[in-house]
Amino acid sequence: MTNTTFTIDICKPLKKAKGIPKEEDCPNGTMLCAIQRLVNTFEDSTSFIRAIPIAGKYTLHGGTELDPEITRLKTSSLASDREKEGFRLALHGPKYPEKNGVKQKAVIEFLCNDKAEEKIVMKNKGSVAPRKVDEDGDEEEDHSARGEMADDGHGGTVKYLDYSMVGDSEVLSLEWQTKYACEDAGKRGDDDKKSSGHWGFFTCIFLGTAAYLIFGSWLNYNRYSARGWDLVPHSETIRDIPYIFKDWMRRVVNTLQGGGSRGGYSAV
């Protein structure tokens, strides 16, 4: 049986893995790579078969472009799509093999899931789609692999749907549920940043005050053997705060009530 592992980065080309021979990895510029390995269940071993570049920019490999196509699901021509929130992303790749090969393509459906962080229970760690070998030795897709999911590392999940011929291209279909596909994701992120910034400010003030009181109390205890209220730094000032506040309020009231007077002098 063969095992196919898909690795994807929709933002930038994949980094080369250390310690892996060049011929056992996808070429530079690949953003979605499929690695096929032969699995020997009797000997509990695996061996490399091939690396398939499904999507990316390949200036040195035929000059193919990524040519992304984005479709908002709510404005799709399909009624089934308009019931969903998210978008569909199509990415293109080169022919594989390079000579007389088949065009590669990936179609990823990003679906809104604002509670994605609560659903990170996966069947497998990594996007894996095994393929079987029939009696003639030819590969065929194992449809039981459909629905395999992996954690995307940001609270979302990636589900494998299909990898088969569609027209003249071999198309990988994935479903990606994430909170970042929600139409209000940008606004929600800004609100979260503002809220966290406010809480961070008050937290700093609280921790700073607490540290000052604790250190001052410890210093008064060890240096002056203080007890009770005397432990607290500036305890006399703290005890006078209610009276200071009361006196300040009295001054404010007197100022407001005596706004029409002539600086404290009476007319003769």
Side-chain angles (χ1 to χ4, degrees):
M1 184 178 72
T2 60
N3 177 285
T4 305
T5 302
F6 300 96
T7 306
I8 180 174
D9 190 329
I10 61 173
C11 299
K12 59 184 183 299
L14 298 170
K15 293 182 179 180
K16 291 291 184 179
K18 295 181 180 180
I20 296 180
K22 182 179 179 181
E23 59 274 10
E24 295 186 12
D25 202 355
C26 288
N28 292 327
T30 301
M31 299 175 70
L32 204 167
C33 179
I35 304 293
Q36 291 187 347
R37 293 182 176 85
L38 180 65
V39 180
N40 188 327
T41 56
F42 296 101
E43 298 181 2
D44 192 23
S45 62
T46 61
S47 57
F48 173 80
I49 300 177
R50 57 182 176 176
I52 307 173
I54 296 177
K57 294 182 178 181
Y58 305 96
T59 55
L60 301 178
H61 298 271
T64 57
E65 291 292 331
L66 187 64
D67 194 18
E69 301 172 7
I70 302 175
T71 304
R72 183 171 176 248
L73 297 179
K74 286 190 176 181
T75 59
S76 173
S77 58
L78 299 176
S80 58
D81 286 345
R82 291 195 294 269
E83 298 176 357
K84 306 172 184 176
E85 182 179 352
F87 61 94
R88 184 178 292 112
L89 175 65
L91 304 174
H92 299 81
K95 289 185 177 181
Y96 184 85
E98 289 187 34
K99 295 182 178 179
N100 302 321
V102 178
K103 290 182 179 179
Q104 299 295 311
K105 182 179 179 181
V107 177
I108 310 167
E109 196 168 272
F110 289 86
L111 299 179
C112 171
N113 185 355
D114 55 3
K115 297 182 180 178
E117 293 178 340
E118 302 174 5
K119 300 179 180 179
I120 313 181
V121 180
M122 302 296 126
K123 294 181 180 179
N124 285 319
K125 193 73 172 179
S127 302
V128 179
R131 294 192 171 199
K132 295 179 179 178
V133 179
D134 59 21
E135 296 178 355
D136 299 326
D138 299 326
E139 291 184 4
E140 60 179 6
E141 185 180 355
D142 182 4
H143 295 285
S144 64
R146 290 180 178 175
E148 291 287 342
M149 293 193 298
D151 179 6
D152 68 358
H154 299 280
T157 60
V158 184
K159 181 190 292 185
Y160 167 81
L161 299 178
D162 194 19
Y163 185 39
S164 59
M165 290 296 300
V166 178
D168 62 348
S169 301
E170 192 167 20
V171 180
L172 170 66
S173 299
L174 301 174
E175 178 185 286
W176 199 325
Q177 293 196 21
T178 172
K179 62 182 180 181
Y180 299 108
C182 301
E183 296 189 357
D184 62 344
K187 181 180 179 182
R188 186 185 308 155
D190 293 339
D191 292 342
D192 290 343
K193 288 180 181 178
K194 291 179 181 178
S195 176
S196 61
H198 294 159
W199 280 112
F201 174 74
F202 288 115
T203 300
C204 289
I205 291 178
F206 173 78
L207 293 177
T209 304
Y212 174 74
L213 292 175
I214 293 173
F215 178 75
S217 299
W218 174 82
L219 192 64
N220 287 339
Y221 175 79
N222 286 275
R223 181 175 294 180
Y224 306 112
S225 300
R227 296 290 188 275
W229 263 104
D230 293 334
L231 278 172
V232 181
H234 308 293
S235 57
E236 293 182 358
T237 303
I238 294 175
R239 280 196 294 259
D240 289 340
I241 286 178
Y243 304 101
I244 296 173
F245 179 74
K246 190 174 180 180
D247 184 61
W248 177 78
M249 286 297 298
R250 185 183 299 113
R251 289 175 177 272
V252 171
V253 172
N254 291 337
T255 301
L256 294 176
Q257 290 179 347
S261 66
R262 300 181 182 179
Y265 293 94
S266 301
V268 178

